[in-house]
């Protein structure tokens, strides 16, 4: 057996779990293997995005109609607040020239220009994801991209990875369901997906998930409908969004939250920061808090859509992170990708620039067009009253951690309960579509990998496995 190493020949003992402070704890910066994998992945493509390359976007606003002051001090979530925003939709795996109507997860990334700085919520049209540890992310994306030998996409690679990482079964079931190909960007939900934190003016922490439910209704395409549409129009989603806004048919989404007190996480019965799982609505109900609308098209696609740069590291007072391992890694990976793809000063581009006052000591760098505002001091701490200084009143409450620093395996290996619940919610027609879609996606997949997949489906439900078996024989 060949031993796996990093780029410098260091033998890798564990390529499945990142280094964290306890099984539920945040990641450690000393995990040089994780950083190497993520930094290398961010530099694999020039100049398009490594993922989410094909996208469309529009400007709009979010209005909050509920009183959330008990949960967060963030101005963006105070009752009556109207916040301008920029929302970019995308397909995830496809390249810049990919067709819009392919079976793929859709990106749903929102940049809120709040009074306290930019807040970026980087999500998808699904509440879950394929993996829960970013250590696996570069490998996963490789399976969605082209084989470096043949330069072809590989169903075999995708199913090989999914069946060896059964935490992906929940997301795979969503992807292969009738909702795997949205008819348009307007007719799908959006989710923040990760768990974030709310912090109120008493410095109390609550865990929160963000949901955006389409008010246009859900519409999806079958494989046959998608194939016929792609043959006529590879930009079908972009055309639909642009034309709808130009006609004044502004798309809207209901804004909903799930909020869980920091002390109540045990109610879930599983790790609340596991991105492959949802919070059941029966345990943490959805709260209606406002509405999001898109009402203006970009005027220059390259300047505004292609150069739009999102990162979950952009947060505002009252909104914070969680120990979600995928989120923790994206805090590093996203801005690193943007600095590489667009440049050190990508934040100065109009679409990325905050609309409130900024006071920073970060200066110079390529393409810096900003005026220099600081006077005597160009550093901090300093002795000058008119030079910007830290404000410790904005410190977040302590997050208590436990456990040893090691490459922790996940807290549970229950890969089947939530996919089973999703499968049982499907009607017969939806199940038939699921079986057919999976069978179609297994073309040219090795029999050994198909058998492994069927064993996983059997653990979800015998009906699931039998349905796929029958579809494979057609």
């Amino acid at each position: 057996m060949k031993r796996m190493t990093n780029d410098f020949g260091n033998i890798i003992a564990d390529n499945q779990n990142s280094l964290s402070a306890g099984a539920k704890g945040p990641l450690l910066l000393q995990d040089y293997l994780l950083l190497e994998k993520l930094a290398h992945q961010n530099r694999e493509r020039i100049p398009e995005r490594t993922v989410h390359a094909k996208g469309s976007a529009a400007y709009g606003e979010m209005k909050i109609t509920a009183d959330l002051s008990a949960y967060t001090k963030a101005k963006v979530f105070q009752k009556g607040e109207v916040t301008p925003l920029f929302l970019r939709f995308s397909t995830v795996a496809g390249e810049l020239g990919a067709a819009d109507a392919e079976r793929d997860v859709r990106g749903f990334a929102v940049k809120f220009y709040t009074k306290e700085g930019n807040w970026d919520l980087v999500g998808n049209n699904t509440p879950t994801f394929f993996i829960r540890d970013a250590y696996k992310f570069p490998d996963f994306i490789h399976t969605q991209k082209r084989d470096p030998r043949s330069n072809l996409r590989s169903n075999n690679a995708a199913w090989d990875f999914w069946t060896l990482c059964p935490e992906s079964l929940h997301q795979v079931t969503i992807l292969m369901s009738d909702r795997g190909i949205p008819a348009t960007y307007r007719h799908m939900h959006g989710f923040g997906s990760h768990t974030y934190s709310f912090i109120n003016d008493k410095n109390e922490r609550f865990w929160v998930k963000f949901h955006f439910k389409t008010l246009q209704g859900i519409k999806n395409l079958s494989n046959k409908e998608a194939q016929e549409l792609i043959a006529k129009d590879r930009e079908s989603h972009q055309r639909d969004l642009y034309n709808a806004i130009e006609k004044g048919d502004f798309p809207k989404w209901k804004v909903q939250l799930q909020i869980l007190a920091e002390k109540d996480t045990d109610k879930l019965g599983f790790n609340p920061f596991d991105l492959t799982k949802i919070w059941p609505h029966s345990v943490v109900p959805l709260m209606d808090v406002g509405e999001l609308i898109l009402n203006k098209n970009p005027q220059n696609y390259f300047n505004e859509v292609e150069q739009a740069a999102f990162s979950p590291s952009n947060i505002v007072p009252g909104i914070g992170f969680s120990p979600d391992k995928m989120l923790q890694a994206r805090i590093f990976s996203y801005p690193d990708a943007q600095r590489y793809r667009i440049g050190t000063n990508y934040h100065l581009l109009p679409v990325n620039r905050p609309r409130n006052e900024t006071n920073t000591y970060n200066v110079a760098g390529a393409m810096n067009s900003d005026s220099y505002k600081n006077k005597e001091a160009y550093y901090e701490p300093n002795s000058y009253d008119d030079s910007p200084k830290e404000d410790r009143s904005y410190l977040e409450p302590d997050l208590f951690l436990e456990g040893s620093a090691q490459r922790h395996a996940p807290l549970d290996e229950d890969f089947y309960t939530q996919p089973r619940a999703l499968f049982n919610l499907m009607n017969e027609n939806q199940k038939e579509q699921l079986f057919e879609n999976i069978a179609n996606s297994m073309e040219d997949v090795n029999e050994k990998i198909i058998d492994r997949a069927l064993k996983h489906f059997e653990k979800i439900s015998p009906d699931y496995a039998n349905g796929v078996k029958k579809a494979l024989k057609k």
Side-chain angles (χ1 to χ4, degrees):
M1 181 186 75
K2 290 184 179 179
R3 290 191 178 92
M4 185 178 180
T5 72
N6 74 342
D7 291 344
F8 296 93
N10 305 136
I11 294 173
I12 296 174
D14 183 344
N15 193 46
Q16 310 305 316
N17 306 291
S18 56
L19 194 62
S20 62
K24 288 192 291 186
L27 304 183
L28 300 182
L29 190 60
Q30 73 186 56
D31 191 351
Y32 69 99
L33 294 172
L34 170 66
L35 299 186
E36 179 185 287
K37 287 179 75 172
L38 294 176
H40 188 278
Q41 183 194 25
N42 283 340
R43 291 158 175 80
E44 286 179 356
R45 299 288 186 275
I46 301 173
E48 69 179 38
R49 290 169 168 87
T50 304
V51 288
H52 298 273
K54 177 70 177 294
S56 307
Y59 294 94
E61 60 186 30
M62 179 176 72
K63 181 176 182 180
I64 299 301
T65 55
D67 182 3
L68 296 169
S69 58
Y71 304 108
T72 181
K73 60 187 175 184
K75 287 187 171 61
V76 65
F77 277 107
Q78 298 311 304
K79 187 174 183 179
E81 187 74 8
V82 178
T83 302
L85 60 89
F86 185 76
L87 197 162
R88 184 178 186 268
F89 304 96
S90 57
T91 50
V92 175
E95 297 128 340
L96 195 56
D100 285 348
E102 295 180 358
R103 183 171 298 278
D104 194 1
V105 176
R106 300 302 190 271
F108 193 98
V110 194
K111 185 180 294 293
F112 296 93
Y113 303 102
T114 88
K115 295 173 181 175
E116 300 173 295
N118 285 359
W119 171 46
D120 289 355
L121 188 64
V122 182
N124 289 320
N125 70 323
T126 60
T128 58
F129 196 61
F130 298 93
I131 53 176
R132 51 189 169 184
D133 191 329
Y135 204 40
K136 295 185 178 183
F137 188 67
D139 295 298
F140 164 62
I141 294 301
H142 285 164
T143 73
Q144 305 299 298
K145 295 292 185 177
R146 296 178 181 271
D147 185 321
R149 297 166 301 171
S150 64
N151 197 41
L152 297 172
R153 300 278 290 274
S154 171
N155 290 335
N156 193 74
W159 279 104
D160 192 25
F161 182 90
W162 289 338
T163 55
L164 289 170
C165 300
E167 67 268 31
S168 68
L169 288 169
H170 196 179
Q171 180 79 336
V172 169
T173 300
I174 297 173
L175 177 63
M176 296 299 166
S177 76
D178 61 312
R179 295 198 178 192
I181 312 178
T184 79
Y185 288 133
R186 297 182 299 123
H187 294 92
M188 68 180 199
H189 296 328
F191 301 88
S193 302
H194 295 291
T195 300
Y196 291 85
S197 57
F198 267 172
I199 298 165
N200 63 19
D201 55 10
K202 298 177 182 177
N203 225 25
E204 297 170 326
R205 180 184 282 110
F206 299 84
W207 302 121
V208 60
K209 283 184 177 288
F210 301 96
H211 302 249
F212 302 88
K213 299 298 181 68
T214 177
L215 294 177
Q216 287 70 239
I218 290 287
K219 289 185 181 179
N220 304 294
L221 300 173
S222 66
N223 283 346
K224 184 175 184 295
E225 290 170 330
Q227 289 166 2
E228 293 173 351
L229 179 58
I230 290 171
K232 300 174 184 176
D233 187 358
R234 296 180 65 81
E235 277 67 55
S236 56
H237 286 29
Q238 182 169 316
R239 193 180 315 280
D240 173 86
L241 179 68
Y242 183 87
N243 289 343
I245 293 174
E246 285 296 293
K247 292 186 298 185
D249 182 12
F250 301 140
K252 297 178 182 179
W253 285 261
K254 181 190 297 183
V255 182
Q256 296 180 312
L257 305 178
Q258 285 180 290
I259 299 177
L260 187 64
E262 193 172 16
K263 62 181 176 58
D264 290 338
T265 55
D266 289 345
K267 290 181 178 180
L268 292 171
F270 55 83
N271 180 5
F273 314 117
D274 184 340
L275 186 56
T276 65
K277 293 183 170 67
I278 63 164
W279 289 0
H281 297 171
S282 59
V283 180
V284 190
L286 288 168
M287 301 169 52
D288 294 345
V289 302
E291 187 174 276
L292 184 152
I293 184 172
L294 298 179
N295 54 22
K296 179 186 175 185
N297 280 315
Q299 300 304 299
N300 184 313
Y301 182 90
F302 179 81
N303 284 1
E304 297 167 80
V305 183
E306 188 60 20
Q307 294 194 115
F310 301 83
S311 173
S313 60
N314 293 334
I315 56 170
V316 293
I319 302 174
F321 306 123
S322 80
D324 179 339
K325 292 183 180 181
M326 285 293 293
L327 174 59
Q328 292 267 317
R330 282 171 166 159
I331 292 167
F332 158 77
S333 187
Y334 275 57
D336 181 60
Q338 308 298 4
R339 294 183 190 103
Y340 166 70
R341 193 176 68 88
I342 306 173
T344 303
N345 289 295
Y346 70 91
H347 60 285
L348 297 179
L349 294 170
V351 69
N352 299 323
R353 192 164 192 147
R355 300 184 183 180
N356 63 312
E357 181 181 354
T358 60
N359 296 297
T360 177
Y361 293 102
N362 291 332
V363 297
M367 302 299 289
N368 190 319
S369 59
D370 208 13
S371 58
Y372 189 70
K373 304 170 188 174
N374 299 327
K375 295 183 179 179
E376 289 87 354
Y378 46 93
Y379 52 87
E380 204 279 337
N382 62 68
S383 304
Y384 303 98
D385 292 339
D386 58 354
S387 295
K389 294 178 179 59
E390 66 182 16
D391 185 344
R392 298 184 66 83
S393 69
Y394 285 88
L395 285 174
E396 294 186 2
D398 293 343
L399 178 63
F400 294 97
L401 307 174
E402 60 183 24
S404 56
Q406 59 175 277
R407 296 193 179 277
H408 287 279
L411 288 173
D412 70 73
E413 294 189 352
D414 181 3
F415 310 127
Y416 309 106
T417 297
Q418 292 208 354
R420 183 182 304 118
L422 175 60
F423 180 74
N424 289 338
L425 285 174
M426 295 180 181
N427 60 38
E428 290 306 310
N429 178 261
Q430 290 171 321
K431 289 178 180 177
E432 286 300 318
Q433 289 188 63
L434 173 68
F435 305 147
E436 292 290 338
N437 293 336
I438 289 176
N440 289 337
S441 73
M442 285 184 166
E443 184 178 351
D444 300 324
V445 174
N446 185 287
E447 285 295 328
K448 180 175 68 174
I449 296 172
I450 292 176
D451 288 343
R452 190 190 303 142
L454 290 172
K455 289 176 182 176
H456 285 306
F457 298 153
E458 180 76 27
K459 292 179 181 178
I460 295 173
S461 167
D463 292 341
Y464 196 150
N466 291 332
V468 174
K469 287 178 186 177
K470 290 179 183 177
L472 286 167
K473 292 177 181 178
K474 290 183 180 179

